[in-house]
Amino acid sequence: MKAALRPSAGLIGRLPPVRGHLASNAPLDRETWFRVGGAAEVLFRPADRDDLIEMLRGIPEGTPVTVIGLGSNLLVRDGGVRGIVVRMGREMAGIEVDGDRVSAGAGAPDPAVAAAARDAGLAGLEFLSGIPGTIGGALRMNAGAYGGEMEDILVFCEAVDPDGEVHRVGPDEMGFGYRHCSVPDDWIFTGAVMRGTPGDRNDIAARMVEIRQNREASQPMRTRTGGSTFRNPNGHTAWQLVDEAGCRGLMCGGARVSEKHTNFLINTGNATAGDLEVLGEEIRARVRAGSGIELHWEIRRIGEPLTGSEPAGSQIRERRP
């Protein structure tokens, strides 16, 4: 067991001892797929659920707590994030299979859970291989792709409230909707138990290969992106609305709308979080003006913008010839 760490300055000096890792003024750009954004006032990587509970029970009253996972669908604003950012990493990423049930920590990557189910001959979790996030994030937004959603496979999950109390939540209590659940925003998911259906390993593997190939053919893989930018409005697809509004290839500073899939924003190399957010808002305005339809962000945006200045390179530029 690790020795407890005693923080020493500022907010970090008023936090309880932990067995995980604490860092003050910790850069968050490296924690996101966009590779942009400011720092966390304090970044906390819990050693396990009990470590998280002890932290929550000991933090100063009123301290903001923000939870992140792999950062695949996350935009951290350039001014950084106040309070404590809890990073659910490999310490909270255990995966176990027992019969037709797959248990996973909230920090477990979705594709790793799909692979564990495949290796155990369990079907029904293949869709997770196409979602580049964690189980905690998948629970929060009822993540889905390729014909499956979390609500289809969840047996129950566990969450910790701000007082450090553990709650076991069944699927009927989750309040699942499209990219939504109604569990209080300040509850932190720590793990889930999911159910698969016994199947042929080769068939399951083939389906996962098909999903990977479909993603590679249709999405800007291996780029600094953040996944789907906007939710699909009822009866419409976001990418088509963005395309019809003339936004394919639209740029703002170092941010650009993907030419391959218009519901993806790309950091071309020197974008700021401000560039990406300004570009997203420009897209929303153009879609609203052209179709009357309101797009809603699917990418989660956290933190504060830089004060006293506009985002660098925020001039909107049309698609290059």
Side-chain angles (χ1 to χ4, degrees), residues 231-292:
R231 301 173 186 173
N232 290 323
N234 288 336
H236 301 273
T237 55
W239 77 263
Q240 189 169 14
L241 290 168
V242 174
D243 206 20
E244 291 172 350
C247 297
R248 185 180 293 268
L250 194 67
M251 297 191 70
C252 174
R256 186 179 73 217
V257 178
S258 170
E259 301 268 1
K260 191 171 189 178
H261 192 310
T262 54
N263 199 26
F264 284 72
L265 301 183
I266 294 173
N267 173 7
T268 63
N270 63 342
T272 64
D275 291 337
L276 290 156
E277 192 162 17
V278 167
L279 182 57
E281 289 301 322
E282 177 69 15
I283 293 167
R284 294 181 69 235
R286 293 192 183 196
V287 169
R288 187 187 311 116
S291 66

Side-chain angles (χ1 to χ4, degrees), residues 188-313:
I188 300 175
F189 291 112
T190 57
V193 175
M194 296 149 282
R195 179 180 287 116
T197 303
D200 183 89
R201 292 185 185 181
N202 292 330
D203 290 343
I204 296 167
R207 175 57 177 156
M208 290 173 62
V209 169
E210 180 184 10
I211 289 172
R212 185 186 71 244
Q213 291 174 340
N214 285 342
R215 287 189 67 221
E216 291 176 347
S218 63
Q219 299 177 12
M221 306 286 286
R222 301 176 185 87
T223 60
R224 295 181 178 184
T225 186
S228 296
T229 306
F230 304 108
R231 301 173 186 173
N232 290 323
N234 288 336
H236 301 273
T237 55
W239 77 263
Q240 189 169 14
L241 290 168
V242 174
D243 206 20
E244 291 172 350
C247 297
R248 185 180 293 268
L250 194 67
M251 297 191 70
C252 174
R256 186 179 73 217
V257 178
S258 170
E259 301 268 1
K260 191 171 189 178
H261 192 310
T262 54
N263 199 26
F264 284 72
L265 301 183
I266 294 173
N267 173 7
T268 63
N270 63 342
T272 64
D275 291 337
L276 290 156
E277 192 162 17
V278 167
L279 182 57
E281 289 301 322
E282 177 69 15
I283 293 167
R284 294 181 69 235
R286 293 192 183 196
V287 169
R288 187 187 311 116
S291 66
I293 296 173
E294 190 76 26
L295 289 179
H296 296 282
W297 286 85
E298 183 169 320
I299 286 177
R300 182 182 174 212
R301 297 164 294 158
I302 63 173
E304 304 174 2
L306 284 175
T307 58
S309 64
E310 292 298 318

